[in-house]
Amino acid sequence: MAIREIGYRHWEGTYTSHAFRWWTVTRAALRSTVFSKGRLVLLLILTAVAWAMPFFQGLFWFFLPPEAVTAIYGEGGGGLDRPLRQNLDELVKSWQWMWGVLFSAVVGSRLVSNDLRSEALYIYLAKPLRRIDYIIGKMLACVIWLIPITMAPALWVYAAVNGASNNQIFVHERGEIFWELVWVELTFMFLCAVAAVTISSLTKRWVLALVAWIGAMFISVPIAVISSEASRNDEWLYLSPVTSLWTFSDHVFEQNDAPNFFPDWVGAAWVLHGLIALGIAVFITRVIRIEVSE
């Protein structure tokens, strides 16, 4: 039987003329991520834990009486802009980076490695799908799964602080802070999604992909810090995507006036966006080099 005629449990392979065939791959990947109740429960637990810090941050602002807001932060002046930026920056640096990495590893490690192990990738590519459809579909699936872990909690904190505004004190730069939030969260989401999916495409064992991605991120932090301390050169902190993310977040949320031992944010931005570009290039190369028989 020709490989074009072989079925795949997550996609019927129906010949269709619609232009968004990558969405077919995305939907299949989203469904396959929760193929069992145990896996669904695990993802729900991780999501709940990831929401712990932003949830209580939001509750603090939500139940803070207007007079208490005025008493704590004064009237007029900078308003709630600085507290909001501080909350969002601290959320990324102290909490989200850990759970974003863990969640992306759990979700992304299986997305391509399972296809390689079961040879489903060859079935995908022998169907009426372009390779770019497969690439976009897998990347987008991981990004979508990361929204509840990254973007949604940050928006909750943003909404809670805006909800605590009163006639005396409020957020002056709502639009600017909103786009700062989007910039930081999207950068982090794409970094995690691209890295997790790309590493998954390099092995047939999803456990290796999971351990490799988590290990690389967590181990890079002490390596970068020790190298920086030993050489007394802050630029060694660029070795870690995590410390680069912290520096990048500090700058975008305008926290650079605080005591900060990290190097310049431009280098950090290059590291983050460079890793995203490199990961996409590696994944594209990996998929393009796969030979498929009709």
Side-chain angles (χ1 to χ4, degrees):
M1 180 183 295
I3 195 170
R4 185 184 291 278
E5 305 301 325
I6 300 176
Y8 179 44
R9 64 178 179 142
H10 298 308
W11 176 49
E12 297 78 10
T14 306
Y15 283 75
T16 175
S17 60
H18 68 78
F20 303 108
R21 290 170 177 165
W22 50 266
W23 181 241
T24 302
V25 180
T26 300
R27 287 184 301 169
L30 291 173
R31 290 196 301 267
S32 65
T33 303
V34 288
F35 65 88
S36 68
K37 291 182 179 179
R39 189 164 174 78
L40 176 60
V41 170
L42 173 62
L43 293 178
L44 290 176
I45 291 174
L46 288 176
T47 302
V49 175
W51 267 85
M53 179 176 176
F55 178 74
F56 286 108
Q57 279 184 333
L59 284 184
F60 168 80
W61 287 101
F62 187 81
F63 289 106
L64 197 64
E67 58 273 13
V69 175
T70 305
I72 296 173
Y73 296 103
E75 297 184 10
L80 294 176
D81 296 55
R82 184 168 182 79
L84 175 54
R85 286 189 168 102
Q86 287 176 335
N87 274 243
L88 293 173
D89 184 48
E90 190 64 25
L91 179 63
V92 172
K93 293 165 57 180
S94 300
W95 194 254
Q96 282 190 333
W97 78 266
M98 294 182 293
W99 299 107
V101 170
L102 288 172
F103 198 86
S104 64
V106 171
V107 171
S109 61
R110 292 174 177 266
L111 288 181
V112 184
S113 60
N114 278 358
D115 286 349
L116 291 172
R117 189 181 70 254
S118 63
E119 298 187 351
L121 179 54
Y122 302 96
I123 301 173
Y124 261 128
L125 298 181
K127 296 294 185 177
L129 283 171
R130 297 170 299 173
R131 294 174 191 253
I132 192 63
D133 293 324
Y134 183 85
I135 293 168
I136 294 175
K138 291 295 184 176
M139 290 288 189
L140 183 59
C142 196
V143 170
I144 290 174
W145 273 116
L146 284 170
I147 291 176
I149 299 293
T150 56
M151 187 71 73
L155 289 174
W156 158 250
V157 174
Y158 174 85
V161 175
N162 277 281
S165 302
N166 56 52
N167 293 331
Q168 285 75 40
I169 185 169
F170 51 89
V171 179
H172 297 278
E173 301 174 344
R174 293 185 180 182
E176 181 177 334
I177 296 176
F178 173 80
W179 289 113
E180 291 172 358
L181 179 158
V182 170
W183 188 12
V184 172
E185 296 295 344
L186 282 180
T187 299
F188 180 50
M189 287 167 59
F190 275 97
L191 174 66
C192 290
V194 168
V197 174
T198 300
I199 294 174
S200 176
S201 71
L202 301 177
T203 176
K204 294 182 179 181
R205 299 179 181 275
W206 68 267
V207 175
L208 292 179
L210 182 145
V211 173
W213 172 226
I214 294 177
M217 287 294 278
F218 279 82
I219 294 175
S220 69
V221 177
I223 290 177
V225 173
I226 292 172
S227 299
S228 175
E229 292 292 331
S231 63
R232 297 185 180 181
N233 185 348
D234 287 344
E235 292 186 355
W236 281 101
L237 292 168
Y238 291 141
L239 284 175
S240 171
V242 177
T243 53
S244 294
L245 175 67
W246 295 344
T247 304
F248 179 71
S249 179
D250 274 344
H251 173 79
V252 175
F253 289 123
E254 301 180 11
Q255 303 300 305
N256 287 347
D257 57 338
N260 194 336
F261 64 91
F262 295 124
D264 185 71
W265 81 276
V266 176
W270 275 105
V271 169
L272 297 176
H273 294 90
L275 287 174
I276 293 173
L278 177 62
I280 292 175
V282 171
F283 186 40
I284 290 175
T285 303
R286 178 75 174 99
V287 175
I288 288 177
R289 293 183 63 182
I290 293 177
E291 297 182 1
V292 179
S293 300
E294 295 292 327

